[in-house]
């Protein structure tokens, strides 16, 4: 069974000790995550039916309580535009402007995204991020894509509910119990995706102030990821619970995943389509392809991860 949805708070000292343990384990690893040819080749064995499904949500263009400055989509050229003739060749053209690290759109965080105690991941000086962008650890480092074995752990399915309520936590025990319930095991180099039902709740009940209240992982759950040596963490929410259960740190999972462990973090994905497909096929592992845009010196990118079953 799942553990208590509201586990204990972490003091600053407890969080610091957890941070040091996870950073030490990450430093002891081989550092290449899922991005080795052997692991990618092994992941292709998860492809059995050839069905593909997105894990991204549509880009939001309407403002809401979780997205007061949504992406702006503007047409720059279209049929019938003033002064254009209907004959001959014409092009429809448009442009987007968006905040990468919002609370509604699917995106990937680069390793330069989190600044903690004056440094980036691996002790890289924080001043490598300037007004012009990030000169170290930018998302361009993932320009060849992140490909590997993906695993979806569906926590609401384990608990027998459609979604976790804002403020509820996913613990390491939840992750282990979900593995057993789904007959799957997270292994080294995997891309781990944890469903809390954020997208389904938003679709059925409407948007809310997620900065004040949202479901996510308890910081201690990161021990599970370190033990299994996963390469990527993705969630259908922010991955961090709000309000934070850690004294003095508002986004402890971001600090632990990105800064301590060097994991790429994917926020605000959607797993409803994938979960249905996994249920149909009776398996929860798949080939996964994550392809960030090539944005020089950027701290992240919009993203559309694809699962191939």
């Amino acid at each position: 069974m799942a553990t208590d949805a509201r586990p204990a708070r972490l003091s600053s000292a407890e969080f610091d000790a957890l941070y040091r343990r996870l950073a030490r384990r990450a430093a002891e690893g081989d550092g290449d995550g899922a991005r080795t040819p052997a692991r990618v080749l092994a992941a292709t064995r998860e492809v059995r039916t050839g069905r593909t499904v997105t894990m991204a949500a549509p880009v939001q263009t309407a403002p809401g309580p979780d997205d007061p400055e949504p992406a702006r989509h503007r047409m720059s050229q279209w049929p019938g535009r003033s002064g254009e003739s209907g004959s001959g060749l014409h092009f429809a053209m448009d442009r987007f402007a968006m905040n990468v690290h919002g609370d509604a759109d699917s995106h990937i965080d680069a390793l330069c995204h989190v600044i903690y105690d004056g440094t980036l991941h691996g002790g890289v000086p924080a001043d490598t991020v300037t007004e012009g962008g990030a000169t170290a650890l930018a998302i361009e480092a993932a320009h060849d894509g992140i490909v590997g074995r993906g695993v979806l752990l569906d926590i609401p399915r384990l608990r027998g509910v459609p979604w976790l309520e804002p403020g509820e936590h996913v613990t390491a025990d939840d992750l282990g119990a979900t593995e057993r319930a789904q007959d799957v095991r997270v292994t080294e180099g995997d891309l781990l995706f944890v469903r809390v039902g954020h997208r389904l709740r938003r679709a059925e009940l409407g948007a809310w102030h997620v900065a004040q209240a949202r479901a996510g992982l308890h910081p201690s759950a990161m021990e599970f990821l370190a033990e299994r040596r996963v390469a990527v963490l993705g969630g259908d929410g922010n991955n961090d619970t709000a309000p934070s259960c850690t004294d003095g740190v508002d986004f402890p999972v971001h600090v632990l995943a990105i800064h301590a462990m060097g994991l790429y973090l994917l926020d605000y994905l959607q797993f409803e389509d994938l979960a249905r497909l996994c249920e149909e096929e009776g398996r929860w592992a798949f080939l996964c392809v994550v392809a960030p845009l090539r944005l020089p010196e950027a701290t992240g990118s919009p993203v559309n991860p694809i699962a191939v079953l």
Side-chain angles (χ1 to χ4, degrees):
M1 291 296 294
T3 59
D4 188 336
R6 298 184 183 275
R9 291 188 60 82
L10 292 182
S11 67
S12 296
E14 290 169 330
F15 179 77
D16 288 345
L18 176 59
Y19 177 96
R20 289 193 297 271
R21 288 198 302 274
L22 297 181
R24 184 169 58 252
R25 288 184 183 178
E28 293 169 351
D30 57 18
D32 52 20
R35 291 171 290 163
T36 63
R39 285 178 182 155
V40 173
L41 186 61
T44 64
R45 292 197 288 268
E46 298 293 345
V47 180
R48 302 173 194 174
T49 62
R51 301 168 78 181
T52 64
V53 61
T54 178
M55 286 186 272
V59 173
Q60 301 295 304
T61 56
D66 58 348
D67 197 18
E69 296 182 357
R72 295 171 56 197
H73 179 208
R74 296 290 183 270
M75 297 300 296
S76 55
Q77 190 167 303
W78 63 93
R81 183 183 180 190
S82 176
E84 292 183 357
S85 169
S87 62
L89 174 65
H90 301 278
F91 295 96
M93 297 191 297
D94 50 3
R95 62 182 296 157
F96 278 90
M98 66 185 300
N99 293 315
V100 172
H101 302 286
D103 286 325
D105 294 321
S106 303
H107 63 271
I108 181 172
D109 294 337
L111 298 187
C112 60
H113 176 50
V114 172
I115 301 164
Y116 185 65
D117 285 346
T119 67
L120 309 181
H121 169 67
V124 173
D127 61 10
T128 56
V129 181
T130 70
E131 184 179 6
T135 59
L137 304 181
I139 198 61
E140 174 65 11
H143 66 262
D144 288 327
I146 304 169
V147 182
R149 177 179 182 259
V151 176
L152 175 65
L153 296 184
D154 192 336
I155 308 304
R157 180 179 183 270
L158 173 73
R159 297 187 185 178
V161 296
W163 54 71
L164 304 192
E165 290 296 340
E168 291 188 329
H169 295 274
V170 176
T171 67
D173 285 345
D174 285 323
L175 298 176
T178 304
E179 277 187 317
R180 294 187 290 274
Q182 296 177 186
D183 192 25
V184 68
R185 183 172 176 82
V186 178
T187 59
E188 184 174 1
D190 283 352
L191 286 62
L192 174 61
F193 300 97
V194 180
R195 178 179 178 268
V196 298
H198 179 101
R199 286 292 179 183
L200 181 60
R201 189 183 194 277
R202 189 182 194 273
E204 296 199 4
L205 301 183
W208 72 97
H209 292 281
V210 299
Q212 300 173 7
R214 61 179 177 265
L217 272 65
H218 191 272
S220 62
M222 299 304 293
E223 297 260 31
F224 177 97
L225 279 72
E227 177 186 335
R228 302 300 179 84
R229 295 193 179 278
V230 304
V232 169
L233 172 63
D236 52 349
N238 176 263
N239 287 294
D240 265 296
T241 306
S244 172
C245 67
T246 301
D247 294 342
V249 182
D250 287 336
F251 296 90
V253 169
H254 275 65
V255 172
L256 297 174
I258 296 174
H259 198 279
M261 300 171 68
L263 302 185
Y264 285 108
L265 203 60
L266 285 77
D267 295 331
Y268 294 107
L269 304 178
Q270 69 86 19
F271 299 137
E272 304 314 309
D273 299 332
L274 176 59
R276 283 191 292 270
L277 193 54
C278 288
E279 286 277 12
E280 287 179 19
E281 298 208 359
R283 58 197 178 94
W284 300 85
F286 42 86
L287 175 67
C288 183
V289 179
V290 180
L293 299 179
R294 296 197 67 175
L295 301 173
E297 300 187 339
T299 64
S301 169
V303 74
N304 180 21
I306 301 297
V308 186
L309 286 85

